[in-house]
Amino acid sequence: MDANLKKIVIAGAGAYHFAPALFEDLFVRFRMPAEIWMVDSDLDMAELSARGAQALARAFGVESRFYYTTQLHKAIFSADAVIVCSDFLYEDAWQKDFEALDAVGLGKQVRLTGGLGGAMQTMRAVGFIADVADQMREECPDATLILCDSGFGGLQLGRACEAAQRMCGIRTLGVSGVTEQTRKRLSLYLDVKESDLAITCAGLNDFSWVTQLRDTRKDADLIPRCMKEMREDSREQLSAQYIDWYGAIPAGTRVTQYELLADTELSPRRTVLPLSGVGAADYELRKRNLALLAVHGPMRPKGLMAWDQIRQSGLTTARPIEILRALWGEGACSVPSLNMPCDGAIACVTQGRFVEGPAQVDATGAHGTPVTLSVELGELLEQLSLCNVLYAEAAAGGSHKALREALEIDPSLAGIDLLYAEDVLCSMMEAQKDKLPRFFA
């Protein structure tokens, strides 16, 4: 076996939305010889993922080495790439956020991405990503970090990318499923087959908008129809409001852009923990299928059935391995929703700040595909992108100064006294200091 195998660390090896594409690309499509480290907080899932992947590699003649662990810091040394697709939703911390904010009459600030709740979630999740990036800087500074966000895992992808690359110096890209998920949502809403919908979404992570929506079979622009129907639909009042304000259809599995904006009468009282449709039963089925795959392999009936069930779940267009191959000079690829430093593709955002949109990736890096967003969104996207930089700086550096500057310009805090907001947040952080080591070393 080649001693110079690429070493790929997968954190969140059992990730329901991303693992199928990772396995398929590594061992079936591209048959990449590699040293694979499977990391998961659930040791059984980590082991079953490694054994299932090993069965695929053997069946398709891929010479790879496999390791598994629950400790990410033990796996990172000498890595060529680290892929993070872990879940960052901690229900106990979320409950503490709610209790603290509800007690002072700020229930609408209980959010995952914006406002005071979003600030707490940023400090917890992005602080962890900064830990990973700092270790990579010490042990594998030339490695690429790819962060994956299904939209349900509680990771503010733009802020995490800013922290890892801008603050910690590790080349970082983010993969989002927003285009695929918006296609599913609008396909059902408009009663058009998914395969007939050409769709482009762009903006910032958690604040992305539909810039193209076409029925390819009829060669028809569906944006006017979609806007009209949403304005007339009592279930889509928030979408209609944003269409009137910004001239754009909000992207995502549902409308969550309100989290990054000031409260309105139509915005929910508080964010409800996002339901991905993946429950405990689904994870147990995934484990069972991995076990069957490991025992029987993908060429025998039981193993083949298990592999088919695995590969049909999750996202199909978010493919981190394609991105790595492209960066390693093994063929360019197109990515529907990539979080990358702005290179002018979104003209209203300062270059270098992380944006989300379609891109081409090759050995020279990621190159955004130019998109046109409404004029009404321009100033807001610029403001929110700066918020992301400041929140990232705060989370990565434990900086109260950067945190205060972020709170000062955060649109979701409009109408709330800055000093009061800062005092409330400091109290919340003090109550969860065990999850915020960068602020309470």
Side-chain angles (χ1 to χ4, degrees):
M1 186 180 293
D2 186 353
N4 295 316
L5 291 176
K6 294 286 190 184
K7 177 178 176 179
I8 301 174
V9 178
I10 301 173
Y16 199 86
H17 295 94
F18 294 100
L22 289 170
F23 282 29
E24 186 174 35
D25 287 353
L26 279 168
F27 310 115
V28 183
R29 292 181 65 202
F30 304 123
R31 304 187 184 186
M32 290 176 58
E35 179 181 317
I36 308 295
W37 284 70
M38 299 291 189
V39 184
D40 201 282
S41 58
D42 181 338
L43 182 60
D44 289 339
M45 181 63 85
E47 180 179 359
L48 288 169
S49 296
R51 296 192 184 282
Q54 187 175 49
L56 285 173
R58 285 174 177 167
F60 291 97
V62 183
E63 295 188 64
S64 293
R65 298 172 182 155
F66 296 91
Y67 304 87
Y68 64 91
T69 179
T70 60
Q71 305 299 315
L72 178 56
H73 69 273
K74 292 182 179 180
I76 287 176
F77 67 93
S78 303
D80 294 289
V82 178
I83 301 171
V84 178
C85 35
S86 302
D87 191 339
F88 291 89
L89 279 177
Y90 309 112
E91 290 196 34
D92 60 331
W94 173 259
Q95 184 62 30
K96 288 180 180 179
D97 291 348
F98 168 66
E99 291 169 357
L101 289 167
D102 198 51
V104 295
L106 292 175
K108 277 198 171 186
Q109 288 292 310
V110 185
R111 309 175 179 194
L112 279 178
T113 53
L116 298 179
M120 285 296 295
Q121 181 66 13
T122 297
M123 299 307 113
R124 292 189 294 256
V126 176
F128 175 86
I129 296 299
D131 289 343
V132 173
D134 279 346
Q135 185 179 353
M136 290 177 67
R137 187 175 64 234
E138 294 296 321
E139 300 183 7
C140 51
D142 296 325
T144 298
L145 176 61
I146 295 188
L147 304 177
C148 304
D149 176 44
S150 65
F152 306 107
L155 180 65
Q156 299 106 323
L157 198 55
R159 295 175 185 179
C161 287
E162 292 282 7
Q165 179 159 307
R166 187 187 296 269
M167 312 304 166
C168 302
I170 293 297
R171 179 167 71 170
T172 306
L173 293 170
V175 182
S176 160
V178 67
T179 298
E180 179 176 342
Q181 292 161 334
T182 307
R183 179 185 285 109
K184 289 181 184 295
R185 168 184 147 224
L186 295 183
S187 168
L188 290 171
Y189 188 76
L190 298 171
D191 193 23
V192 177
K193 289 182 179 179
E194 282 187 52
S195 57
D196 292 335
L197 274 186
I199 183 169
T200 303
C201 301
L204 305 176
N205 183 246
D206 296 317
F207 202 74
S208 201
W209 304 82
V210 176
T211 63
Q212 177 195 215
L213 185 65
R214 296 192 65 81
D215 184 335
T216 56
R217 188 172 61 85
K218 297 180 179 179
D219 191 27
D221 181 2
L222 293 176
I223 286 182
R225 174 193 159 190
C226 188
M227 286 183 168
K228 179 177 183 297
E229 292 186 11
M230 285 181 168
R231 285 188 174 109
E232 297 170 352
D233 187 342
S234 60
R235 301 167 302 173
E236 292 287 345
Q237 288 182 307
L238 197 51
S239 294
Q241 184 178 71
Y242 292 155
I243 288 168
D244 288 339
W245 286 1
Y246 307 123
I249 299 165
T253 55
R254 63 197 189 289
V255 181
T256 58
Q257 284 78 356
Y258 68 87
E259 287 213 357
L260 294 164
L261 300 171
D263 293 334
T264 71
E265 291 183 1
L266 296 178
S267 56
R269 181 177 182 274
R270 73 181 178 100
T271 295
V272 177
L273 277 175
L275 298 176
S276 67
V278 182
D282 297 285
Y283 278 103
E284 289 306 311
L285 178 60
R286 172 63 63 78
K287 286 182 178 180
R288 179 176 179 274
N289 283 331
L290 285 170
L292 288 171
L293 178 61
V295 171
H296 299 284
M299 301 304 181
R300 295 167 65 186
K302 286 186 178 179
L304 177 60
M305 184 179 297
W307 171 234
D308 282 343
Q309 288 185 7
I310 291 171
R311 61 191 293 270
Q312 288 172 15
S313 64
L315 296 165
T316 60
T317 60
R319 310 196 82 93
I321 299 302
E322 282 190 347
I323 296 171
L324 289 177
R325 292 182 75 251
L327 293 172
W328 293 336
E330 298 174 23
C333 71
S334 298
V335 186
S337 298
L338 189 67
N339 282 254
M340 61 201 157
C342 185
D343 58 2
I346 297 181
C348 57
V349 176
T350 297
Q351 293 201 20
R353 294 180 189 167
F354 273 80
V355 294
E356 181 173 85
Q360 296 285 322
V361 183
D362 57 31
T364 64
H367 311 282
T369 303
V371 294
T372 301
L373 286 153
S374 66
V375 174
E376 293 85 352
L377 280 171
E379 185 176 339
L380 191 52
L381 286 166
E382 172 72 358
Q383 182 178 357
L384 287 170
S385 71
L386 178 56
C387 275
N388 284 345
V389 172
L390 291 170
Y391 277 123
E393 181 181 348
S399 171
H400 288 276
K401 179 177 182 292
L403 183 56
R404 189 181 194 283
E405 290 175 349
L407 296 174
E408 189 172 2
I409 66 168
D410 191 334
S412 65
L413 293 173
I416 300 176
D417 180 75
L418 175 61
L419 292 177
Y420 180 58
E422 190 175 12
D423 286 344
V424 170
L425 185 58
C426 285
S427 297
M428 293 171 68
M429 293 170 67
E430 181 71 29
Q432 296 189 41
K433 62 169 61 178
D434 59 314
K435 292 184 172 62
L436 304 171
R438 287 178 173 255
F439 285 90
F440 301 95

